[in-house]
Amino acid sequence: MAVSYEDVTGELSTARKALLTGAEEAEEVLAALPGPADRTPAQREAAAAAKNTARQVRARFLAAHADAVYDELTEGRTRRPRLAELADAAAVAFPGLAPTAEQMAVERGRPQENKEGREIDQGLLFSRLLESPVAGPHLMDSMLLPTPRALAALTEFRRTGLADLGSVRVERRGTAAYLTMCRTDSLNAEDNRQVDDMETAVDLALLDPAVGVGVLRGGEMAHPRYRGRRVFSAGINLKALHAGDISLVDFLLRRELGYIAKLSRGLMVDHAGAWHSPTVVKPWVAAVDSFAIGGGAQLLLVFDRVIAASDAYLSLPAAQEGIIPGVSNFRLQQSAGARISRQIVLWGRRIWATEPDARLFVDEVVDTADMDRAVATAAERLDSAAVVTNRRMLRLSEEPPEALRAYLAQFAMQQALRLYSEDVIGKVTRFSRRD
C-alpha cells in the first residue's frame, strides 16, 4: 500500500508506522530480485524505483520530525553520540529510517559496484540532522569531543611524548607535536583506518598541555616510485573505494566533522575555563613534500602556515574521480576566489609550488634540503598565546559556523549520491583493473 504524505508527516507515532511500512515495501521488492551484481537492466530499474519511493518517505519523515528524532537519540541533547553510533541508534529506534547493522555488514562485504547503496539513506539522515538549527550545531559540537581512543592513550603520550598509531606517528619535540603520516606503501592515501588514526593524533596534540603547536608532514615512502622520499598525501585510497572499504560515515563524514574540524575549530573540553573558551585551539603547520593530492590538498586549507618543497605540487582531482572534495568547494573561495577554484575543482588544474598562484595556498616555498629548518622555525614562531586568540577570531570570520553547517548538510547528501553514481563506480573499477 502507498504511504500517504499525511501519514508520514503527521503525529510522530503514526509517522513511525508509515516510515516502517514504506521501508518494508521497498525491502520486499529487493528481496524478490537477484543481488545487485546479477540484475538485468529492468531489474535494476525496479530496484531503483523501490529505493527511491522509500527514500521519498524517509525525506518527508525527516522534514517533519528531524528534531524529534535527534532529541530521542540523544536523550534531549544530554548525550553526544558520534556519527556511527547515531546511525546505528536511528536504525533501532526508528525502524526503516536508516540501514540496520546487519544490512550494513552485508554491504561492507561487497565491492562498491555490487552494493545496494544503503549509505545513501545514512547520507539523507545526516543531511537533515545537519540542516536543523537545533540538531545540527549540537551534532557538529559533539564531533569535536576527544575520541575514547585518544583519551586512553593520553597518559602514556604525556609521559613519553611518543605515540605510534599505525598510519600516523606523533612525537613531541619541545613544545611542538609532529604528526607524521606513514602509510609508506600507499603514498599516504587515506582510508577508514587513517581517518581514525589521524583523529586520535590530532586529539593527542590538542589535549597535551605541553604542546603549543602542531605540525603535519608525510614520512618517507617505500612505494617504488618514491622510495626514500617524503610524500604528503595522495588523497583518497581508490583501491579501498573500489573494494567497498571507504565508508560514508566512518571516512567521508567523520573526516570533515572529526579531525579536520578539530584542526580548524579546536577540541571541545570540559574544564574550568570552558565558560569563555569551550574549545582548545592551537596553531598548525603543514609541510608539503612531493605532492598534496585530493584530500591532502583539502587539508592545507585549514592550516595556519603551509610550507612546501620547491618541487611539490597540489591538486584536487575530484571532478575526475567523480566525488566532492570535502569542504574544499567552500574553503577554496576564501583562499583563491571563484575563478581559480573552478580551474582546480572542475578542470583539474595542478598548482606547482613555484607558480605565482601557489601563494594563494602556500606561505613559504623552500628547497627540499631546507624543509626541516623552515618547519622548525614556523612551529617556534606560531607557539604564542596571542597567535591562538587571533587564530580563533580569524577562523570565525573566515568560516562562520552556520555557513559551514549549511554546506555540510548538502555535502552529506550529495557525496552519498556520488559514491553510488555510475560514473564513480566505473572510474574506480577501471582504476583497480589498471593497477
Side-chain angles (χ1 to χ4, degrees), residues 228-242:
R229 291 179 56 185
R230 285 184 180 267
V231 166
F232 190 73
S233 174
I236 193 171
N237 190 316
L238 292 175
K239 285 185 181 179
L241 178 58
H242 170 256

Side-chain angles (χ1 to χ4, degrees), residues 183-266:
R183 292 296 293 275
T184 63
D185 59 332
S186 64
L187 304 178
N188 288 326
E190 279 192 285
D191 54 17
N192 289 10
R193 169 191 169 188
Q194 189 158 334
V195 167
D196 184 61
D197 291 348
M198 278 292 294
E199 185 166 9
T200 305
V202 170
D203 282 356
L204 289 174
L206 290 170
L207 286 167
D208 185 354
V211 171
V213 60
V215 176
L216 181 64
R217 193 175 185 184
E220 293 184 3
M221 297 291 105
H223 190 284
R225 289 179 60 190
Y226 292 88
R227 192 180 305 278
R229 291 179 56 185
R230 285 184 180 267
V231 166
F232 190 73
S233 174
I236 193 171
N237 190 316
L238 292 175
K239 285 185 181 179
L241 178 58
H242 170 256
D245 294 332
I246 294 294
S247 164
L248 176 72
V249 170
D250 290 324
F251 181 96
L252 292 163
L253 296 183
R254 177 180 175 179
R255 185 175 184 271
E256 300 299 338
L257 290 161
Y259 86 81
I260 296 181
K262 290 172 178 177
L263 289 168
S264 175
R265 300 175 60 207

Side-chain angles (χ1 to χ4, degrees), residues 22-32 50-51 54 58 103 118:
E24 288 177 336
E25 290 176 353
E27 293 303 321
E28 288 175 5
V29 173
L30 297 178
K51 287 185 277 191
R58 293 183 184 107
Q103 289 171 330
R118 295 189 186 276

